[in-house]
Structure formats: structure tokens, C-alpha cells
Amino acid sequence: MSETEYLEERVEDQIQWFDRKSAINKTWYRRCQLVQLIAAALITLSGIFIGKSGLYLQYLIPLLGAIIAIISGILSLYKFQENWIQYRTTAENLQQEKYLFLGRSIPYDEPEPLKLFVERVEAMISHENNNWGQNMRKVSKEHQSGLRDIL
């Protein structure tokens, strides 16, 4: 694989993938946080209406509490914030590595820098894949432990 092919087909592709995944996780994290914030604020504000329309509040307050609990579970399970930060970091690291390589800056100021570049980029990608696998195993164990606690 030539230098140009590797840069375009592997490095750019991975930078774009991590960038997209980072943006998706950021969006979901912020949406969930916003829903939690609004639900918590509505629970607090519902105290103003106690006695005036208690029938609605007896259903609304527990419903809002359940929404907060569900969103907390979703955030814990899918780890949107952690993924957002990790994917963004990996995308930025790959981008920086690409620019160091293109500029033939240290450590790429040697006669054949492509081999070192490929090794370093693949190590970053492999590290990210390993982190993802570890996180999935951790989530699976937490999920199984939570099910045992419920049962």
C-alpha cells in the first residue's frame, strides 16, 4: 500500500469514523442530560401546585422520577460521555499524527517514515479497539450483576 493510499483509505477513514462517533455520542449525552435536568426541575416546581391539582401531580411526579431513573440507566449503560471524549481524543491524536508525518517532523524525520507511521497509527487504532472491548465486557458484567440483584 502506498503512502497516499494509506493516508486516504485508512487514516482519513478512521479520523472521520472517530469524528462521527464522537459527535453522535456527544449529541446523545447532551440530550439525555437535558431531559434529566428538565424532569428534575419540573419535580421541584411541582411543589408550587400541591393542593391545587393534586390529582395530576400524583401521577406526574413519579413519572418524572422514573424518567430520571431511566435516563440515568441509559447514560450508565451506553456511556455516551466517556465514548464522546474517547472518540474525540482518538480522532485528534490520529489527526496530529498525520500532520507530524506529512511535515516529516519528529519522529518522522528519517529516510523511511511510512513504516513508523503505520505502526503508530495502527497502535492507536488497536488501543481504541481494546478499550472498547474492555468497556463492553465491563458493561456486560455490570448488567449481569444488576440482573442478579433484581432477581
Side-chain angles (χ1 to χ4, degrees):
M1 183 177 268
S2 74
E3 180 178 311
T4 304
E5 289 172 331
Y6 185 75
L7 280 165
E8 290 174 5
E9 293 176 18
R10 181 67 168 161
V11 179
E12 276 304 318
D13 179 62
Q14 289 296 301
I15 290 169
Q16 290 173 10
W17 189 90
F18 283 111
D19 186 56
R20 274 191 318 273
K21 289 297 185 176
S22 172
I24 289 167
N25 279 275
K26 177 182 178 181
T27 299
W28 276 107
Y29 174 71
R30 288 188 169 176
R31 285 178 182 168
C32 288
Q33 288 293 97
L34 184 61
V35 170
Q36 273 190 318
L37 178 66
I38 292 169
L42 289 173
I43 288 173
T44 303
L45 288 174
S46 66
I48 296 170
F49 303 106
I50 291 180
K52 296 179 182 176
S53 57
L55 181 62
Y56 296 114
L57 291 179
Q58 81 181 38
Y59 297 110
L60 180 64
I61 293 173
L63 177 66
L64 291 171
I67 289 170
I68 291 171
I70 290 167
I71 296 292
S72 292
I74 289 170
L75 287 170
S76 175
L77 182 63
Y78 291 105
K79 304 201 179 299
F80 293 124
Q81 182 181 26
E82 293 90 338
N83 289 336
W84 160 31
I85 293 167
Q86 186 62 43
Y87 291 155
R88 176 85 265 134
T89 300
T90 302
E92 293 299 324
N93 287 342
L94 287 169
Q95 190 75 28
Q96 178 185 17
E97 204 68 28
K98 181 181 100 174
Y99 289 135
L100 287 172
F101 174 74
L102 290 173
R104 298 301 193 253
S105 300
I106 296 174
Y108 301 112
D109 56 344
E110 58 182 50
E112 294 187 35
L114 182 60
K115 181 180 179 212
L116 178 61
F117 179 61
V118 170
E119 289 172 359
R120 289 174 60 116
V121 166
E122 294 303 320
M124 282 184 211
I125 294 168
S126 177
H127 178 74
E128 180 56 38
N129 289 336
N130 289 337
N131 282 345
W132 182 84
Q134 288 174 353
N135 287 340
M136 290 301 103
R137 283 189 290 280
K138 182 179 175 186
V139 166
S140 178
K141 285 180 184 177
E142 289 172 358
H143 180 70
Q144 289 172 357
S145 174
L147 285 176
R148 278 194 298 271
D149 293 345
I150 291 171
L151 300 174

